[in-house]
């Protein structure tokens, strides 16, 4: 079987690419615990090809197998160059972002803006496919808006080019993250292509995953926002879909995983940048654990001392009987 014919994640539960969130250490933890696969946060292909340090760190995948790098851009040349570099740096799969709804991305005609011009999108898909020998996949939305739900057409074009799988988020770009993901609408893509299909959007439990697969006809689910602060969730859902039961880590183990994630971010980005990058994760861990009062939560999010952060994380999980606080949801790429 040729490399580009292989299905990199035909079944199971995957950790979605979340811009600014699914860093190397979150992916390592989720994969080690049993996630079927994980995807890097969105990497700007041109910045990566030009050697930008931030893009390089986003694409880092040491210790994560399979190593899936998601690239974003609108220029076929730069997308191809980014894909070649990612493969040379050890990527096992290249994922093309045609789903990000953020204005900063669509304003540059990348992400889900590509669904407004499928001929251009196809040229970009072809450039990436032709640049590498590893499997290539694409992530998209249902369409730009309700009047142009063209995901089946885009998926067919990707399949003809030899793409290994397609992921569909069950919303249009114009919906951003409002309402509920329309899992049933993804079935039109299932009927359009034979390659593996991954369904994404609002999957937060095993019951959600089972309902999503039944409604969409997809082969696998991709979990994003629900896994922030709970990187073990993807593994639990993957096990459940396989008919197995995976016990959730106990409070002490969860605290250790959170501390590992924090320490890894400090090592990856350096103390100053790592502390800033870690805050969204610390907030999510603490809020899911529910064991910190307001003052302790503020200390956790403002401390620059890794030892104090680890102590407060342990306290959060040990005192989890308190009600979790509301928190903003991160955005999937």
């Amino acid at each position: 079987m040729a490399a580009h014919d292989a299905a990199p994640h035909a079944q199971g539960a995957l950790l979605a690419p979340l811009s600014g969130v699914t860093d190397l250490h979150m992916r390592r933890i989720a994969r080690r615990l049993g996630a079927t696969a994980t995807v890097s946060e969105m990497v700007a292909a041109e910045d990566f090809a030009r050697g930008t340090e931030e893009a390089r760190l986003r694409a880092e995948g040491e210790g994560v197998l399979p190593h899936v790098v998601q690239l974003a851009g609108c220029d076929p040349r730069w997308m191809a160059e980014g894909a070649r570099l990612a493969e040379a740096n050890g990527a096992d799969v290249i994922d093309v972002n045609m789903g990000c709804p953020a204005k900063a991305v669509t304003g540059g005609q990348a992400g889900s803006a590509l669904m407004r011009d499928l001929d251009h999108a196809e040229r970009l898909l072809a450039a990436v496919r032709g640049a590498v020998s590893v499997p290539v996949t694409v992530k998209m939305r249902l369409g730009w808006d309700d009047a142009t739900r063209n995901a089946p057409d885009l998926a067919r074009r990707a399949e003809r080019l030899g793409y290994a799988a397609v992921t569909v988020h069950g919303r249009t770009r114009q919906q951003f993250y409002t309402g509920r993901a329309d899992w049933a609408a993804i079935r039109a893509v299932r009927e359009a292509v034979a390659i593996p299909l991954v369904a994404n959007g609002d999957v937060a439990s095993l019951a959600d995953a089972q309902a999503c697969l039944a409604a969409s006809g997809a082969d696998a689910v991709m979990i994003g926002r629900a896994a922030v602060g709970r990187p073990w969730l993807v593994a639990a859902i993957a096990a459940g879909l396989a008919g197995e039961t995976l016990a959730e880590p106990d409070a002490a183990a969860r605290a250790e995983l959170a501390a590992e994630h924090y320490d890894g971010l400090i090592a990856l980005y350096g103390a100053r940048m790592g502390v800033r990058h870690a805050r969204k994760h610390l907030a999510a861990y603490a809020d899911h654990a529910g064991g910190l009062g307001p003052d302790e939560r503020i200390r956790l999010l403002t401390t620059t001392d890794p030892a104090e952060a680890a102590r407060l994380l342990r306290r959060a999980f040990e005192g989890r009987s308190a009600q979790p606080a509301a928190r903003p949801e991160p955005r999937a790429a």
Side-chain angles (χ1 to χ4, degrees):
M1 179 180 288
H4 66 271
D5 292 327
H9 39 249
Q11 293 181 323
L14 295 76
L15 176 65
L18 293 168
S19 186
V21 176
T22 50
D23 52 71
L24 171 63
H25 293 279
M26 183 176 181
R27 286 181 277 129
R28 276 183 180 171
I29 291 169
R31 183 70 181 99
R32 186 177 76 234
L33 294 176
T36 304
T38 66
V39 185
S40 78
E41 53 187 305
M42 181 177 64
V43 179
E46 182 174 351
D47 289 348
F48 185 49
R50 290 183 182 277
T52 302
E53 179 69 2
E54 181 180 354
R56 184 191 69 78
L57 290 173
R58 284 173 175 252
E60 180 60 59
E62 183 180 357
V64 181
L65 293 174
H67 175 30
V68 186
V69 174
Q70 187 188 73
L71 296 176
C74 64
D75 185 319
R77 171 200 169 196
W78 287 117
M79 287 292 287
E81 286 296 326
R84 276 191 283 268
L85 180 60
E87 181 181 31
N89 286 352
D92 300 299
V93 180
I94 306 297
D95 185 61
V96 177
N97 183 313
M98 292 192 175
C100 181
K103 291 180 181 178
V105 176
T106 60
Q109 304 306 308
S112 55
L114 290 162
M115 300 192 76
R116 302 176 77 177
D117 182 351
L118 294 195
D119 290 338
H120 179 64
E122 184 172 358
R123 288 191 291 272
L124 190 149
L125 290 171
V128 174
R129 175 64 276 165
V132 297
S133 60
V134 295
V136 184
T137 62
V138 58
K139 188 171 188 289
M140 64 186 72
R141 288 201 159 212
L142 296 174
W144 177 259
D145 55 26
D146 281 332
T148 55
R149 291 195 171 203
N150 53 8
D153 189 1
L154 181 56
R156 277 191 292 265
R157 294 176 187 230
E159 183 177 46
R160 285 198 299 268
L161 289 168
Y163 272 60
V166 58
T167 299
V168 181
H169 181 113
R171 289 182 176 89
T172 66
R173 185 271 175 183
Q174 296 297 65
Q175 288 179 275
F176 284 86
Y177 294 92
T178 60
R180 288 287 300 174
D182 188 350
W183 300 329
I186 298 173
R187 184 168 287 276
V189 179
R190 170 72 296 157
E191 294 168 354
V193 298
I195 56 177
L197 171 64
V198 182
N200 177 223
D202 295 341
V203 175
S205 66
L206 176 58
D208 286 344
Q210 292 167 331
C212 177
L213 292 177
S216 66
D219 303 287
V221 294
M222 185 172 276
I223 300 152
R225 291 173 288 169
V228 184
R230 296 187 295 172
W232 46 83
L233 176 66
V234 187
I237 292 174
L241 291 176
E244 303 168 358
T245 300
L246 182 64
E248 183 176 301
D250 62 22
R254 291 195 297 275
E256 288 300 318
L257 290 168
E260 174 191 338
H261 192 178
Y262 179 77
D263 291 342
L265 288 171
I266 300 300
L268 182 66
Y269 290 103
R272 192 173 75 170
M273 184 177 174
V275 165
R276 291 200 307 271
H277 194 95
R279 283 175 183 150
K280 63 177 73 69
H281 292 293
L282 294 177
Y285 283 122
D287 292 344
H288 279 300
L292 293 183
D295 291 343
E296 290 175 312
R297 186 180 186 278
I298 290 172
R299 285 213 309 275
L300 175 64
L301 300 187
T302 56
T303 183
T304 57
D305 180 1
E308 183 179 25
R311 179 183 65 79
L312 287 167
L313 284 169
R314 284 194 298 273
R315 180 169 174 78
F317 284 101
E318 290 165 359
R320 66 174 307 192
S321 59
Q323 289 296 317
R327 62 186 178 88
E329 296 284 11
R331 303 278 173 95

